[in-house]
Amino acid sequence: MAENKKWMPRWFYQMASPRWSYEIMGKLMPWFAIPAAVLLVLGIAWALAFAPQDYQQGNSFRIIYIHVPSAILAQSCYMLMAVAGAIGLIWKMKVADMVAKSCAPIGATMAILALATGAIWGKPTWGSWWVWDARLTSMLILLFLYLGVIALHSAFESEATAAQATAVLALVGLVNIPIIKYSVEWWNTLHQPATFTLTERPAMPAEMWVPLLIMVIGFYCFFAVSLMMRTRNEIIHRERRASWVRELIEKQ
Amino acid sequence: MNPKRKQRLIIVLFIVFGVGIAVGLTMFALSQNINLFYSPTQIVNGEAPEHTRIRAGGMVVEGSVTRDPNSLKVSFGMTDYAESVTVEYTGILPDLFREGQGIVAQGVMDEAGIFQASEVLAKHDENYMPPEVAEALEKAGNMPKPEAEEFNK
């Protein structure tokens, strides 16, 4: 195998440079921050004030506009964490480790938000805050995986060892993602089937799912911004002895 | 890709697929235990354990709900379109409880073959719709109903 053959596009190797990553993230951030603010404000206003209520659940249905985006994000964030962890393991890329580390608290927050809104929604509709069905339980396991990743990371003195250990844990936990997704199809659950799927039109009318889609995209943009902020922070912290970071600090 | 990286890539893939297969087989073996509830068909066929607390899920049969005028006691039929079971419950039902609605009840089968529920939960589907749409569908007789597979997985 040719030693100098490049397997990945150029930006992939550039990403290995903390300085390049720091700068590109600084440039990209406004492109996500503004859409995040616009979409979330628009989506929330539309969802709470203008979207119709549900014929069975009335207004309590509106919690879906927080519940579904946060649940989707919690899973996407986990996948990103595992992929970044794998890149860190294989290519020994420090920035990938930092991205993986930054994902965990955001994902854990999203998982808590999804579980909490789900419980609040469950009480008036199902009649129970919590049921040990496959969907709810696997989502709780996702939260524990996030907490495990955070705890494991802080248990190591060395950042490199911590990154390796957490990447392995994240990869092992990856098996939970398809379980969450298909739990409502494989087993009898109290939880209803998926609201959004990639292949089919949503079962609900457009005036209900368009604001939901706006919220999902808004959540993704918000996630991108907070991930970049955390990663930039992490880069500055870990590269604090590098000359370019010193220069950056002196400039301010 | 240099050999070192290639080797690490193989290890990563091995972890992901190894764990995936192991967990997949475990889940497959345990699938009956992961189901939240038994369907009326399973109960009628004797697949559900007797004299212990179980959960049963199905659709409330249209026109089967009878309320005792002097107490909170209700009785209704629960079906998965193949078989049905009579359920008795004393207490307050969830707001979403109605005929044609999916429910999950927890309780015990008594000697008479009636399911004595201690808890009734409403199950709803992903067909959210505004009240006007629901009314129009109702009039046209096109209201989506939970399917039999919903209760028999």
Side-chain angles (χ1 to χ4, degrees):
Chain A
M1 197 163 296
E3 195 54 40
N4 50 5
K5 186 174 181 292
K6 295 291 181 215
W7 270 62
M8 295 285 187
R10 209 164 78 99
W11 59 264
F12 183 79
Y13 294 97
Q14 282 175 321
M15 222 166 60
S17 148
R19 182 179 186 174
W20 187 85
S21 302
Y22 181 85
E23 280 162 7
I24 195 81
M25 281 188 223
K27 281 186 199 138
L28 282 176
M29 228 152 45
W31 295 97
F32 287 97
I34 295 164
V38 171
L39 290 173
L40 287 179
V41 170
L42 174 76
I44 277 284
W46 191 344
L48 294 185
F50 301 106
Q53 51 177 323
D54 181 56
Y55 75 111
Q56 279 191 318
Q57 302 176 27
N59 283 321
S60 61
F61 148 85
R62 291 182 201 278
I63 202 165
I64 197 177
Y65 295 109
I66 303 288
H67 178 73
V68 168
S70 56
I72 292 177
L73 244 292
Q75 295 168 69
S76 299
C77 182
Y78 193 90
M79 287 194 275
L80 178 63
M81 183 172 78
V83 169
I87 292 172
L89 277 182
I90 297 165
W91 278 273
K92 299 282 172 202
M93 215 181 259
K94 267 195 289 182
V95 177
D97 290 344
M98 297 180 204
V99 169
K101 186 188 174 186
S102 310
C103 274
I106 308 173
T109 314
M110 289 296 166
I112 291 173
L113 190 59
L115 288 168
T117 50
I120 295 166
W121 192 10
K123 186 62 187 168
T125 49
W126 298 339
S128 172
W129 297 99
W130 184 264
V131 180
W132 291 101
D133 85 348
R135 171 57 77 81
L136 275 65
T137 310
S138 56
M139 199 64 197
L140 186 65
I141 291 171
L142 183 73
L143 173 63
F144 289 157
L145 279 169
Y146 275 126
L147 298 181
V149 164
I150 295 169
L152 187 63
H153 202 287
S154 57
F156 288 96
E157 198 71 33
S158 134
E159 290 281 356
T161 325
Q164 274 187 350
T166 50
V168 172
L169 176 59
L171 285 168
V172 168
L174 198 58
V175 70
N176 193 33
I177 296 295
I179 295 176
I180 297 178
K181 178 156 174 39
Y182 294 106
S183 54
V184 287
E185 288 170 31
W186 289 341
W187 301 297
N188 289 335
T189 56
L190 186 62
H191 195 285
Q192 65 281 10
T195 313
F196 271 158
T197 56
L198 285 176
T199 47
E200 279 174 65
R201 280 179 61 82
M204 50 184 169
E207 66 241 62
M208 283 176 156
W209 65 256
V210 172
L212 182 54
L213 188 63
I214 290 176
M215 287 300 284
V216 171
I217 299 169
F219 262 69
Y220 267 107
C221 291
F222 171 76
F223 165 69
V225 173
S226 52
L227 179 66
M228 285 193 272
M229 284 171 84
R230 288 196 86 94
T231 310
R232 268 162 65 99
N233 232 355
E234 193 66 28
I235 291 174
I236 290 285
H237 177 68
R238 262 196 249 179
E239 299 290 305
R240 59 189 178 277
R241 289 189 190 83
S243 56
W244 68 271
V245 177
R246 281 164 191 272
E247 275 167 33
L248 197 77
I249 292 164
E250 274 161 22
K251 254 193 280 175
Q252 283 174 345
Chain B
M1 200 184 273
N2 71 34
K4 259 266 170 69
R5 286 178 187 167
K6 201 171 175 190
Q7 195 186 6
R8 289 195 294 248
L9 175 69
I10 291 168
I11 294 173
V12 165
L13 291 177
F14 182 77
I15 293 175
V16 171
F17 287 102
V19 172
I21 292 165
V23 173
L25 288 173
T26 315
M27 293 284 200
F28 184 70
L30 291 175
S31 60
Q32 266 309 308
N33 300 340
I34 299 172
N35 282 335
L36 182 71
F37 53 82
Y38 292 96
S39 68
T41 306
Q42 285 174 311
I43 293 172
V44 169
N45 292 346
E47 285 168 43
E50 284 167 33
H51 312 299
T52 64
R53 276 162 70 84
I54 57 166
R55 285 203 194 85
M59 207 189 77
V60 180
V61 180
E62 302 270 357
S64 70
V65 180
T66 50
R67 288 170 201 270
D68 181 359
N70 302 319
S71 69
L72 286 173
K73 198 168 169 183
V74 226
S75 126
F76 55 88
M78 185 171 70
T79 181
D80 58 356
Y81 304 106
E83 299 287 351
S84 63
V85 170
T86 306
V87 181
E88 280 185 3
Y89 174 68
T90 307
I92 295 168
L93 290 162
D95 287 350
L96 249 59
F97 179 90
R98 64 196 72 185
E99 288 170 1
Q101 175 78 39
I103 58 136
V104 174
Q106 191 175 51
V108 188
M109 285 302 285
D110 67 6
E111 274 74 30
I114 291 171
F115 191 80
Q116 299 292 342
S118 55
E119 184 186 41
V120 174
L121 301 177
K123 181 171 159 61
H124 65 85
D125 56 18
E126 72 282 23
N127 299 316
Y128 309 103
M129 59 181 97
E132 310 86 67
V133 175
E135 216 170 282
L137 283 181
E138 192 78 67
K139 255 185 212 152
N142 285 334
M143 202 62 180
K145 289 270 173 246
E147 285 170 34
E149 299 92 70
E150 209 33 47
F151 306 107
N152 264 315
K153 283 179 183 157

